[in-house]
Amino acid sequence: MAAMSVNHAVRAPAGLCHYVPVPPPPPRSCAADRCPGLLRPHHADDGALVRLRVPGGVLTSAMFAALRSVSDEFGDGRIHLTSRANAQLRSLPTGMDSHLPGRLFEVLRTAGFLPSPSHERVRNIVCSPLSGIAGGRADVRGLAGALDRALCAAPELADLPGRFLFGIDDGRGDVAKMGCDVLALAEAPGCARIIVGDLAGPAVPLHAAPGALVALARRFAAAADGHWRARELPLRGGELLDGPVTATLPDTPAPTMVYGALPGGALSVLAPMGVLTPEHGDALAAAAGTDGTLIITPWRGVVVVPQPAPPRGALARLAGTGLVTTNDSPWTRITACIGAPGCAKSAGDTHAAARAAASGPGPPGHVHVVGCSRACGAPHSPHTLLELGSKR
């Protein structure tokens, strides 16, 4: 669908929705950075919300168990997946001092969700989730962890904006389409092209990519002047690169995420509206095994890399809980913000509207359902916005 501009101030009559084709959201800068974290929860209508950074989306079985335990004991029982492959917990309690319960904090810290308190909200690293499993030009598994360690070891980067995004693409072009600020794009098994915004930089050995991205982040921190994103700089990020910049990323379609059985016993599923219920969690934990890995994807799904081998019928059990295991599901093109009652700004129940959209023909292409003009959680690619009517 061709991208179009839209005046988000136009509202539908109360109780109705309207479809508006929109491009990715415009850049926002020079304003307060309110991205939430474990140390700075957001206080929503349904309680406190924490966003836990998961570099590369990679969770051990123990980390996944910790998320489930905290959500079950303190929150709404669900794990909410984000478009940056992070995890959010909602409906959490806070004391009179607005702090989270000490036990909640300790469980998540011990599980590995807070390796550097000073860098908590800047560990935004996305990575091709199928790398080393199926497709791609290079196996980039491990690079997200190396980048995270290098980032946390740089004190001067602790104040990067929470919106600043690092990316590692194994050459298939999935992460390259996510609007990363600095990106390593694999061109061959041992080589990566460094990208700033939409501008192509030097080629580096693949193993040197994390260091190159951290160096660019340092340059951004020195040049930011209140901006959140590299594309917002006067030269759209060109000032971070050495020498004249002429090359830009080719405008090619992003590949489609694959759902179902994958090579080597891995399994790929999509969580409708990015929400993992307790039933989903039970099935995912059983499929992963005690030593398996679960990879959150930027499309609000999970890739299970089991260890040992997945039990017989694991994919069918995942499908039986309502997780999507085929690419022909309408949920592969329908997403939604949290909506009411979790958000005070929402004009209604966005999840109910999304379920209605999934049951009917709807417009072609991706549909994102929102409760207000902020359009939280909108996808990175062109999409159709379904905005609930005004509460007035």
Side-chain angles (χ1 to χ4, degrees):
M1 179 181 298
M4 297 174 58
S5 62
V6 58
N7 178 2
H8 283 290
V10 177
R11 304 298 299 271
L16 299 180
C17 300
H18 67 291
Y19 289 106
V20 185
V22 297
R28 290 173 286 186
S29 63
C30 302
D33 179 358
R34 296 187 176 90
C35 292
L38 181 58
L39 297 176
R40 191 174 76 179
H42 168 70
H43 298 278
D45 262 23
D46 58 347
L49 173 154
V50 297
R51 181 176 302 153
L52 301 163
R53 273 65 181 184
V54 186
V58 178
L59 295 170
T60 64
S61 290
M63 293 175 78
F64 187 59
L67 282 177
R68 297 183 64 209
S69 172
V70 167
S71 184
D72 180 62
E73 180 176 351
F74 296 101
D76 65 1
R78 303 181 294 177
I79 299 170
H80 301 258
L81 310 180
T82 79
S83 61
R84 290 186 166 194
N86 291 320
Q88 294 187 160
L89 302 180
R90 299 189 66 98
S91 303
L92 301 173
T94 54
M96 294 294 292
D97 57 2
S98 297
H99 291 169
L100 297 165
R103 173 174 149 70
L104 179 158
F105 179 86
E106 280 304 310
V107 169
L108 294 175
R109 185 192 64 80
T110 302
F113 287 103
L114 197 65
S116 173
S118 59
H119 291 70
E120 181 202 4
R121 296 185 304 113
V122 306
R123 301 169 59 235
N124 297 298
I125 303 171
V126 289
C127 185
S128 299
L130 295 182
S131 189
I133 300 172
R137 293 176 179 168
D139 186 347
V140 299
R141 289 177 296 184
L143 291 187
L147 173 56
D148 185 37
R149 291 188 292 274
L151 175 61
C152 291
E156 66 275 22
L157 297 182
D159 292 326
L160 274 177
R163 305 252 179 180
F164 193 87
L165 182 61
F166 296 85
I168 301 173
D169 191 310
D170 69 358
R172 75 186 68 218
D174 52 355
V175 171
K177 287 295 186 180
M178 290 185 58
C180 299
D181 293 283
V182 292
L183 168 77
L185 175 64
E187 295 185 325
C191 178
R193 178 70 56 182
I194 299 301
I195 311 293
V196 177
D198 299 314
L199 305 175
V204 300
L206 192 62
H207 67 83
L213 297 181
V214 167
L216 288 169
R218 286 192 177 99
R219 292 187 178 188
F220 174 83
D225 191 27
H227 293 292
W228 292 351
R229 311 300 304 274
R231 290 172 181 81
E232 298 169 9
L233 295 175
L235 301 180
R236 296 187 59 79
E239 51 268 87
L240 308 185
L241 295 168
D242 293 323
V245 178
T246 57
T248 59
L249 281 175
D251 187 16
T252 56
T256 301
M257 184 65 191
V258 177
Y259 300 106
L262 300 172
L267 306 170
S268 175
V269 299
L270 175 69
M273 294 175 286
V275 177
L276 294 178
T277 67
E279 293 75 22
H280 295 157
D282 288 342
L284 287 166
T290 55
D291 297 314
T293 301
L294 301 99
I295 305 171
I296 302 173
T297 78
W299 304 280
R300 297 180 171 92
V302 179
V303 175
V304 181
V305 184
Q307 187 63 36
R312 183 185 298 273
L315 187 64
R317 183 183 178 191
L318 291 167
T321 67
L323 291 167
V324 172
T325 59
T326 62
N327 279 70
D328 59 359
S329 167
W331 288 116
T332 61
R333 63 177 188 84
I334 297 174
T335 52
C337 72
I338 193 64
C343 177
K345 296 183 183 298
S346 179
D349 187 341
T350 55
H351 286 201
R355 287 189 289 270
S359 65
H366 195 111
V367 176
H368 185 63
V369 185
V370 297
C372 75
S373 60
R374 295 185 305 165
C376 294
H380 306 282
S381 57
H383 56 280
T384 297
L385 192 68
L386 191 159
E387 182 180 350
L388 301 188
S390 171
K391 292 191 286 188
R392 293 173 298 179

